[in-house]
Amino acid sequence: MAERSRDWARAVRGLLLDVSGVLYDSGAGGGVPIAGSAEAVRRIKASGLKLQLCTNETQASRENFVKKLRAMGFDISVAQVTAPAPAACRLLRERGLRPHLLVHDDLLPEFAEIDKTNPNCVVLGDAAENFTYANLNEAFRLLIGMEKPVLISLGKGRYYKETDGLKLDVGAYMKALEYACDVQAEVVGKPAKRFFESALAELGVPPEQAIMIGDDIVSDVGGAQQCGMRALQVRTGKYRPSDENHPEVKPDAYVNNLAEAVDIILQQL
């Protein structure tokens, strides 16, 4: 598709990039950069295009996340990262909610200023090893005991890729709690429209002048297109050939990797 038509690359002022599967593959030792991705980020910034990372990363605070990216060679600041935890904190404050947190230990600093006494909701993130039966059952008991249960999920991804293979993502556990408690989760991260709108506001570009680049056909591509953006799927990360036959979501283009997408976009400037 990228080879046949490049109309999708025209009139672009800003790029939203997914991170895991686009910039790097996570895994032991923090993960490894995808070939050409650090240089692609440098070229985006040098071109004058606006850049924002739009990630569902919930295994680290934004500060530690950016430190990891910089150690891999990515010139990124904390302000250039739109992530679910800060958005969830805003929501909690707006609605006077006190969360029971089922999240990764490294994400807890993001919620340090939030009142967590006598919880009246559950916040679910990619808790990894903290997704034990005991912890899930504790969240279940809290929700089932509420007159009006509130479940907030920092994403709804099915799986993601690490260097040693695919891993279950938060969406699988979210669905388990939804089913057990007969409740519908409020999703704060991708593909929620409000989350993409926040990322666009931080990017400072209207949707028709922005392109989202991701490896998740539903959360990245579908979510961005619902907000009026063009969206590309890279053939890295969690991409699978079957994505190209998805019954509902059709990317504006497929590209082999971020570097290829940047080559095409910069040629159109």
Side-chain angles (χ1 to χ4, degrees), residues 106-196:
D106 292 342
L107 194 67
L108 291 173
E110 292 275 17
F111 296 90
E113 304 302 317
I114 297 293
D115 182 5
K116 295 177 280 291
T117 60
N118 190 24
N120 58 3
C121 71
V122 168
V123 171
L124 193 67
D126 181 10
E129 285 74 15
N130 285 345
F131 277 136
T132 63
Y133 175 81
N135 287 343
L136 279 165
N137 200 50
E138 184 180 6
F140 158 73
R141 285 178 170 176
L142 282 165
L143 287 168
I144 205 73
M146 295 175 188
E147 183 178 349
K148 294 183 178 180
V150 176
L151 173 61
I152 296 168
S153 186
L154 306 182
K156 59 183 276 188
R158 295 174 296 166
Y159 53 83
Y160 57 94
K161 184 184 178 185
E162 290 198 340
T163 51
D164 62 347
L166 298 177
K167 302 289 180 73
L168 276 178
D169 204 350
V170 62
Y173 302 95
M174 178 194 84
K175 288 294 184 182
L177 289 173
E178 283 186 331
Y179 176 67
C181 302
D182 194 22
V183 62
Q184 184 169 354
E186 301 177 41
V187 179
V188 174
K190 297 178 293 186
K193 186 175 182 180
R194 180 176 175 180
F195 188 69
F196 276 108

Side-chain angles (χ1 to χ4, degrees), residues 56-247:
N56 271 3
E57 168 65 45
T58 57
Q59 288 195 11
S61 66
R62 280 187 303 168
E63 287 74 13
N64 287 338
F65 185 52
V66 166
K67 284 180 185 177
K68 180 172 77 171
L69 289 175
R70 294 183 72 87
M72 291 184 192
F74 295 100
D75 181 15
I76 294 295
S77 68
V78 172
Q80 289 176 301
V81 178
T82 303
C89 287
R90 287 194 296 271
L91 183 152
L92 293 168
R93 290 191 182 98
E94 287 169 5
R95 292 166 54 182
L97 293 171
R98 302 178 304 278
H100 169 77
L101 299 173
L102 180 45
V103 301
H104 197 283
D105 289 343
D106 292 342
L107 194 67
L108 291 173
E110 292 275 17
F111 296 90
E113 304 302 317
I114 297 293
D115 182 5
K116 295 177 280 291
T117 60
N118 190 24
N120 58 3
C121 71
V122 168
V123 171
L124 193 67
D126 181 10
E129 285 74 15
N130 285 345
F131 277 136
T132 63
Y133 175 81
N135 287 343
L136 279 165
N137 200 50
E138 184 180 6
F140 158 73
R141 285 178 170 176
L142 282 165
L143 287 168
I144 205 73
M146 295 175 188
E147 183 178 349
K148 294 183 178 180
V150 176
L151 173 61
I152 296 168
S153 186
L154 306 182
K156 59 183 276 188
R158 295 174 296 166
Y159 53 83
Y160 57 94
K161 184 184 178 185
E162 290 198 340
T163 51
D164 62 347
L166 298 177
K167 302 289 180 73
L168 276 178
D169 204 350
V170 62
Y173 302 95
M174 178 194 84
K175 288 294 184 182
L177 289 173
E178 283 186 331
Y179 176 67
C181 302
D182 194 22
V183 62
Q184 184 169 354
E186 301 177 41
V187 179
V188 174
K190 297 178 293 186
K193 186 175 182 180
R194 180 176 175 180
F195 188 69
F196 276 108
E197 288 171 346
S198 294
L200 283 168
E202 291 173 350
L203 185 69
V205 169
E208 62 272 13
Q209 295 179 347
I211 290 179
M212 173 72 195
I213 303 175
D215 66 330
D216 189 309
I217 185 72
V218 174
S219 290
D220 296 331
V221 175
Q225 288 177 332
Q226 287 182 9
C227 286
M229 282 184 274
R230 286 161 280 177
L232 313 184
Q233 187 178 19
V234 291
R235 295 187 177 105
T236 55
K238 70 169 69 171
Y239 163 85
R240 303 174 76 188
S242 60
D243 291 344
E244 302 198 20
N245 298 312
H246 195 280

Side-chain angles (χ1 to χ4, degrees), residues 10-26:
R10 301 183 190 280
V12 179
R13 288 180 50 215
L15 299 178
L16 292 178
L17 305 183
D18 180 34
V19 180
S20 178
V22 175
L23 301 189
Y24 75 100
D25 284 325
S26 57

